Amino acid sequence: MSDSLTFLPWQIETAQAWLGNRERFAHAWLIHGLPGIGKTRFARAAGASLLCEQPVQGLACGHCQACQWVRGGNHPDLRLLRPDAIALEEQGPDMQEGDLAKDAAARKNPSREIRVEQLRQLQHWFNTATHRGGWRVAVVYPAQALNLVSANALLKVLEEPADRTVFLLVADAPDRLLPTLVSRCRRLPLPVPDAQQSVQWLQQQGLEHASDWLAAWGGAPLKAFSASEAMQAPCPDWLSAWIEGVLKAGREADLSLADTLEKLPVQEWVDHWQRLFVDIQLSGFAQSARYYPSLQKQIDALAAQANSAALTEALKWLAQQKALGNHPLNAKLLVHHALDRLHQACRRV
């Protein structure tokens, strides 16, 4: 069955309980939780379940005409509101006929925001009768891609919702959204899946060392699987090289890594260093590594020689860089400063 119809294993129980009372369903839901646990897939599968004509225990049957339309991306009562850039990345059979991402201009410079025009185009949809008197579902993801103008346009829609219409907004954290928009939605927090269930799912996808991948990505199985398709190991090669260089008390490894890091998004390398430094701090308190358990020996060695106060300050600095990482004034200067500062925090005392 297509991903657009099915819930992930750890979502089924929540979905059945939530969808069991659909006749008294709220008109807008904010589905939120940790990044990488499958929130968008949950929302899209929920949309399919609401539209299904023969639901099984509240979930899409996968066989009726409505499910076939959802699978083919042409159900008249389903709209996916996401940035053009995400629509292009997905490139699946669910690309709807009205997607602006099909336009040449949008393909050349796709927006990473949900544009107000996408909300305005729903007006005609609202004025059209639903198929066989069923539901009308709009899935908005990620909701934080709404800019101020489009968020206010959606707010107006939610203030006077069309009959039998449900909006499913997907977000990592409600506090990143317009407060008035959040106030118009019922919240549905999705829990982090059980580690054993996540590991089992990753293994079913053919991933080796699934527990190490899951740990490196904070227990988020979809992020872990996505990372495994782009990386050779849970800990990136450049970070392993940096650890080795610091433990050898050398500076050569730092300088050789600068070129590699300059080519990466700032938030990417900041994320990995944050995880490593948390593990070093845990080791200092005789705790096991949370993110890189396979590197426990090296982490213990770093903790034994690190300056605890400098470690704390380095973590604060990394958090600041993550907040500003999308707009570095000078990427090369930032990388060299990071290599020097973080090396000093872990150098032999």
Side-chain angles (χ1 to χ4, degrees), residues 320-349:
Q320 293 171 351
Q321 304 319 303
K322 187 173 183 179
L324 303 172
N326 288 330
H327 307 284
L329 297 177
N330 187 317
K332 184 174 183 178
L333 181 63
L334 178 61
V335 165
H336 281 270
H337 180 61
L339 287 167
D340 181 68
R341 180 170 189 147
L342 301 178
H343 183 101
Q344 290 296 322
C346 294
R347 69 183 176 85
R348 195 178 302 279
V349 295

Side-chain angles (χ1 to χ4, degrees), residues 107-118:
R107 286 183 176 276
K108 184 177 180 180
N109 188 25
S111 173
R112 302 210 70 86
E113 295 183 336
I114 297 174
R115 297 167 291 101
V116 68
E117 290 82 0
Q118 293 173 269

Side-chain angles (χ1 to χ4, degrees), residues 4 7 18-19 31 41-51 137 168:
S4 62
F7 292 94
W18 175 55
L19 293 166
I31 300 167
R41 179 158 166 177
F42 181 96
R44 293 183 61 168
S49 297
L50 287 169
L51 295 170
V137 181
L168 303 177

Side-chain angles (χ1 to χ4, degrees), residues 45-233:
S49 297
L50 287 169
L51 295 170
C52 179
E53 297 173 353
Q54 301 172 358
V56 179
Q57 294 183 320
L59 309 186
C61 70
H63 306 295
C64 69
Q65 185 66 62
C67 286
Q68 296 300 323
W69 283 343
V70 171
R71 180 178 286 118
N74 53 14
H75 197 295
D77 295 328
L78 177 64
R79 291 292 182 272
L80 305 178
L81 301 181
R82 73 279 208 209
D84 292 340
I86 290 180
L88 284 170
E89 288 170 4
E90 292 174 347
Q91 285 291 329
D94 61 343
M95 289 285 287
Q96 298 179 4
E97 197 61 36
D99 278 332
L100 293 182
K102 290 190 174 185
D103 296 341
R107 286 183 176 276
K108 184 177 180 180
N109 188 25
S111 173
R112 302 210 70 86
E113 295 183 336
I114 297 174
R115 297 167 291 101
V116 68
E117 290 82 0
Q118 293 173 269
L119 274 300
R120 291 170 178 165
Q121 288 174 354
L122 294 181
Q123 193 60 48
H124 174 72
W125 187 53
F126 292 144
N127 295 328
T128 304
T130 61
H131 180 72
R132 301 180 186 176
W135 290 96
R136 182 188 287 117
V137 181
V139 184
V140 184
Y141 65 97
Q144 55 265 29
L146 290 160
N147 56 40
L148 184 59
V149 177
S150 57
N152 277 303
L154 178 57
L155 179 61
K156 291 181 179 179
V157 171
L158 298 184
E159 287 174 343
E160 299 180 7
D163 188 41
R164 301 285 290 178
T165 299
V166 175
F167 277 81
L168 303 177
L169 283 67
V170 180
D172 293 339
D175 59 3
R176 298 181 186 176
L177 304 178
L178 196 66
T180 49
L181 186 60
V182 175
S183 69
R184 293 294 187 275
C185 302
R186 289 279 298 278
R187 294 195 188 188
L188 180 65
L190 296 185
V192 177
D194 175 79
Q196 183 176 355
Q197 197 170 29
S198 295
V199 167
Q200 183 179 8
W201 180 81
L202 288 169
Q203 290 172 337
Q204 290 171 350
Q205 313 311 307
L207 183 60
E208 297 181 359
H209 308 295
S211 58
D212 288 340
W213 283 101
L214 185 66
W217 295 94
L222 270 68
K223 286 189 73 173
F225 181 71
S226 178
S228 73
E229 295 183 306
M231 299 167 55
Q232 296 297 317

Side-chain angles (χ1 to χ4, degrees), residues 299-322:
I299 288 169
D300 288 342
L302 287 172
Q305 69 179 44
N307 181 310
S308 59
L311 276 176
T312 300
E313 288 303 312
L315 271 169
K316 291 180 181 178
W317 182 82
L318 284 168
Q320 293 171 351
Q321 304 319 303
K322 187 173 183 179

